[in-house]
Amino acid sequence: MSLLLQKVKSVLRALLPLLALVLLLALTAPELPGGLLARFLLSCLALLVGLSLFLWGLSLAIHPMGEQLARESAASTSPVKIALLGFLLGFLSTVVQPGLWPLGTQIGQATGGVLSAPLLVLSVSAGVGVMVALSVFRLLRDRSLSFFLLLTFGVMLLLSRFVKEGVLALAFRTAGTALGALTPPFLLALALGLAQAKGGRSAEKNAFGMVGAALAGAVLPVLLLGMLTGVTLRPEASLAPALSEGVLRPFGAALPSLSWQVALALLPLGGLFFLFNHLQFHLSRERLAGIGKGLGLTVAGLWLFLLGVRAGLLDLLAALGGALSGIGPFLPVAVGLLLGPVIVRAEPAVHVLGEQIEQATSGHIPQRLVRATLAAGVGLSLALALLRVAVPEVRLWYFLLPGVALAVWLSFRADPIFVGIAYDAGGVAVGPLTAAALLAFVGGAAGQSSSLLWQDTVGVLALTALLPVLSLMAVGTAWRRGRPVPPPTPRRAPAPAAATEPSAAEHVCLAVAVRSGLADRVVSVARGAGAVGATILRGRGGSEQETVRLPLLHLELHPKKELVLFVVPAGAHAAIADSLPADPILAAEGGLAVFLVPAEAMAQTLAAPPVSDHS
Amino acid sequence: MILLGEGTVGFGLFDRLRETRREVLLIPASDTLSHTLHTTLSAAFRFTERNRGVAFTVPFDRWQGGAGEGSLPALPPVTHHCLVAVVNKGRSRACIRAARAAGATGGTVVHGWGAGIPVNFYVPLIIEPQKDVVLIITACEHTEAIKHRIFAELDLGRVGQGILFTLPVTQTSGLLESAVCPPAAAESEVLS
């Protein structure tokens, strides 16, 4: 099964629930405007093809690009260069995000020209750039993510007390668009590349958290501007898209501006990459061709995907929201609980995050667990936002303030890797599809007549950025408590010596399995005993006694393991194999298993110690 | 022990199109258990069909210290070899291409890390160079050819380019050597 087919399949799995639920609602809801349903089906096709191409392009282009650029900044001797590169990457990937400039113009109108589009877009992009640069430093210097995020969220909460009502919601609306479809996957790849370049024990948990930081970076400038200018929103301002008519016409109407935006979206980042390639990387022609192909696919996929979202999905959701709230005020709340999860499953960045989690943890944390938790968080936030529409007395603060406090508290209790994943999930959950779809549905449910439209609709995004963080932190806390504690490995009696003469192999391949994080220790011990080079593989153990089953989701959790391979001349292996169990740390907590296989190596490569094969 | 890897079935117009995600399982087992595993796994995963995965057995000894020290298991008749090439990241494709040119059918790539050497950049980093570990199962008679081909084409004689070694394999299932189209790479590996 090829990679593309796999992508299409996983995209289908992600889109089908959305299709089914929306169709069910549309068929049971009374009197929808004609043509909406046909348009929705058409847009579903665009979503399916677009999302598959987009994800495929991401793994071909954005992923290697992020990795290369990460290596470039990690292997730099000057802090100025690291900071500049981090800033540029954040800034460039944000400033041309599709939809950001039109939103800026809209906001400019809504605020009576106080916040102009260039001011807003540039300051938001700069905010993202600064936060990306800071997170690069945090990652490389191995500082605690919890404190870093405590600080940013503290500033965010503080600032939000000084702005007029609605500006907080506006800030999250802008931030969601600013991160868009492209920035989160790129930042995820960048963080993974940095973490892998840095290596060591904390590589895993370091691979996450940058998207969350970037989200904060996009929210803060808007709050700051709001505080400095004391801006208020015009009550009649509405950022919900107006309903359009017809089946094919909306597609045509969305085409010209969308095509421009998408075509420009990858230009700065791609330009920077190829510039660096010219100066520094000098990648092989083959790899460059792959990246170029991937960039093309990414653009084509994003174009189709956004076309599908804008031309078909949003209008139907808005119409559905209106129709449902017409039946009963609390009906949308119940539907929202179901609709939120199916929408966020179709979000491209959620796929990328899931795949990256599996990759960074070698399958230790199953992506199903993360997706399910994330989806539950989004469902809850949509339901809460709709509850606020039904009962206007409920304020956004009731949820936001305790929510942030709880998130901060949990971030010190949860498994560290989940803290990063949780903050990233918050950034991913306000992506282009989810943000637009949730806004449309809540906007529809609130009805165009409501005077509270602004806070009602846009508040949903602040909740959506927060609740997945909470739900994932909760799982992370449970995870830490329920983590498998491996039983002490019983010292087995030596097996009866095999009655064989030693085989005539010239070399021996030693495979050493240890608990995760101890591979470095194994290498240094073995080096002391005469080994030269080593290769480390990360995987997970499947041993029954160490496996924990989660009851609700039918998931098996495997402990992380590392496998260290040495190839040494026959005769030298005994010293190395003996040195390992003799090391107190490895013996006590290593869960050590040493296997020997006779091997035949190409002699020259091992002939000249002390040169390791990995110099 | 489960590792994530990639199979490489064939290279066509769309290089990366044909890549497949694989998992490699390492199971330490006794001789009899190994035979049972081969039978049951073949049945369960339908290894006889193309691209379903393979299983193979590498004889090994568990190091216990003390008695039996220094002795390596005597080899049962070796039918195949498992070629292990540890190359710099990104060279795995060239490695497989070389192997295929010399008659190999396919390979599995697992991503790993070379042991780190501390380097003093601005931030003291332990750069762990990323490595691709390529596993190729071949019949004994092809081993030498493939080995030398890879060695020559990837320039493994130069320091830092990678290493290459072979492990004896005593039992395989799911290997379709006569197939026109090369079969997929290892999905399951049994360390006897």
Side-chain angles (χ1 to χ4, degrees), chain A residues 18 43 109 202 207 259 430 503 552 597:
Chain A
L18 178 63
S43 74
Q109 286 161 3
S202 50
S259 307
V430 288
S503 59
L552 210 58
V597 187

Side-chain angles (χ1 to χ4, degrees), chain A residues 39 244-255 307 310-312 315:
Chain A
R39 188 135 55 92
S244 43
E245 301 284 321
V247 177
L248 286 175
R249 216 166 32 138
F251 284 94
L255 263 182
L307 189 66
R310 292 190 190 174
D315 285 351

Side-chain angles (χ1 to χ4, degrees), chain A residues 139 141-142 195 198-208 517 520:
Chain A
L139 200 157
R141 312 214 64 168
D142 228 346
K198 183 160 164 49
R201 228 174 223 258
S202 50
E204 250 179 20
K205 65 171 201 268
N206 267 339
F208 301 97
D520 293 345

Side-chain angles (χ1 to χ4, degrees), chain A residues 75-460:
Chain A
S76 155
T77 45
S78 129
V80 181
K81 186 182 166 192
I82 299 178
L84 209 64
L85 192 60
F87 177 80
L88 265 183
L89 292 179
F91 184 84
L92 288 181
S93 61
T94 308
V95 74
V96 285
Q97 203 60 239
L100 188 56
W101 285 92
L103 181 73
T105 316
Q106 266 184 327
I107 291 176
Q109 286 161 3
T111 57
V114 178
L115 300 176
S116 65
L119 176 70
L120 201 69
V121 170
L122 291 180
S123 57
V124 164
S125 309
V128 173
V130 168
M131 284 308 270
V132 169
L134 284 178
S135 352
V136 170
F137 273 108
R138 181 205 68 78
L139 200 157
L140 289 178
R141 312 214 64 168
D142 228 346
R143 294 290 145 85
S144 156
L145 181 66
S146 306
F147 279 110
F148 182 67
L149 288 164
L150 171 65
L151 211 65
T152 51
F153 273 69
V155 173
M156 205 191 284
L157 267 187
L158 199 69
L159 282 182
S160 66
R161 298 308 299 152
F162 293 105
V163 296
K164 299 268 168 16
E165 198 171 6
V167 176
L168 181 66
L170 177 78
F172 274 96
R173 172 82 175 96
T174 320
T177 314
L179 290 195
L182 283 170
T183 313
F186 177 70
L187 290 183
L188 281 169
L190 186 70
L192 182 65
L194 278 171
Q196 283 179 346
K198 183 160 164 49
R201 228 174 223 258
S202 50
E204 250 179 20
K205 65 171 201 268
N206 267 339
F208 301 97
M210 204 181 271
V211 180
L215 182 74
V219 169
L220 285 174
V222 182
L223 290 181
L224 209 59
L225 283 175
M227 190 181 80
L228 292 179
T229 58
V231 72
T232 46
L233 295 162
R234 291 185 181 174
E236 75 273 13
S238 157
L239 296 192
L243 277 183
S244 43
E245 301 284 321
V247 177
L248 286 175
R249 216 166 32 138
F251 284 94
L255 263 182
S257 67
L258 183 67
S259 307
W260 263 114
Q261 291 169 15
V262 172
L264 281 178
L266 274 171
L267 218 55
L269 212 55
L272 186 73
F273 176 77
F274 281 103
L275 181 73
F276 263 103
N277 180 60
H278 186 69
L279 299 174
Q280 203 91 40
F281 309 152
H282 304 298
L283 294 183
S284 70
R285 186 167 281 259
E286 187 187 8
R287 289 194 63 192
L288 278 185
I291 289 177
K293 210 155 45 178
L295 285 178
L297 285 171
T298 310
V299 168
L302 185 61
W303 180 77
L304 262 178
F305 179 73
L306 289 180
L307 189 66
V309 172
R310 292 190 190 174
L313 185 64
L314 296 187
D315 285 351
L316 183 63
L317 281 176
L320 274 178
L324 286 174
S325 66
I327 299 174
F330 289 99
L331 188 59
V333 181
V335 172
L337 214 49
L338 290 175
L339 193 63
V342 297
I343 289 177
V344 80
R345 282 184 69 93
E347 184 71 47
V350 172
H351 285 252
V352 180
L353 181 67
E355 266 171 31
Q356 178 147 335
I357 289 168
E358 208 152 81
Q359 207 185 345
T361 65
S362 312
H364 170 53
I365 296 177
Q367 37 172 318
R368 271 172 56 201
L369 174 71
V370 174
R371 274 194 207 158
T373 319
L374 176 58
V378 173
L380 202 61
S381 68
L382 181 57
L384 283 180
L386 289 164
L387 185 69
R388 177 160 158 54
V389 171
V391 190
E393 291 79 41
V394 179
R395 311 304 297 256
L396 200 57
W397 279 109
Y398 294 179
F399 311 121
L400 279 187
L401 202 57
V404 170
L406 193 60
V408 167
W409 182 66
L410 279 177
S411 79
F412 288 95
R413 301 189 60 89
D415 194 301
I417 188 170
F418 270 94
V419 177
I421 292 178
Y423 280 108
D424 275 358
V428 158
V430 288
L433 170 66
T434 321
L438 294 192
L439 276 182
F441 190 69
V442 179
Q448 307 290 341
S449 61
S450 165
S451 60
L452 272 175
L453 184 64
W454 239 99
Q455 290 85 348
D456 284 337
T457 53
V458 186
V460 67

Side-chain angles (χ1 to χ4, degrees), chain B residues 14-153:
Chain B
F14 294 98
D15 265 359
R16 302 282 299 238
L17 254 180
R18 310 281 318 254
E19 242 168 48
T20 50
R21 294 278 162 89
R22 295 283 176 181
E23 290 191 352
V24 181
L25 260 88
L26 307 173
I27 308 169
S30 65
D31 274 350
T32 38
L33 181 55
S34 164
H35 283 289
T36 338
L37 274 176
H38 268 287
T39 348
T40 49
L41 286 177
S42 300
F45 290 96
R46 291 181 290 157
F47 282 160
T48 44
E49 289 169 34
R50 183 183 295 162
N51 289 0
R52 279 296 180 167
V54 300
F56 60 92
T57 303
V58 174
F60 79 109
D61 196 9
R62 185 168 174 147
W63 188 261
Q64 306 284 356
E69 193 168 320
S71 75
L72 286 168
L75 299 184
V78 175
T79 52
H80 291 75
H81 277 129
C82 173
L83 263 137
V84 184
V86 183
V87 295
N88 288 332
K89 186 177 172 162
R91 303 294 310 273
S92 58
R93 194 166 308 182
C95 177
I96 298 221
R97 202 175 301 138
R100 190 162 287 149
T105 44
T108 303
V109 182
V110 183
H111 300 293
W113 282 261
I117 304 146
V119 183
N120 218 353
F121 291 119
Y122 165 66
V123 192
L125 284 184
I126 295 184
I127 294 287
E128 299 185 326
Q130 292 187 35
K131 298 281 175 181
D132 283 346
V133 180
V134 186
L135 307 173
I136 301 166
I137 313 287
T138 73
C140 277
E141 59 265 29
H142 296 309
T143 311
E144 283 301 305
I146 297 174
K147 221 159 101 171
H148 285 104
R149 185 79 183 232
I150 294 177
F151 192 84
E153 287 205 9

Side-chain angles (χ1 to χ4, degrees), chain A residues 496-531:
Chain A
T500 56
E501 76 246 38
S503 59
E506 300 164 46
H507 296 93
V508 176
C509 174
L510 272 120
V512 185
V514 282
R515 299 247 316 275
S516 173
L518 287 167
D520 293 345
R521 179 92 199 158
V522 169
V523 173
S524 64
V525 170
R527 279 220 173 108

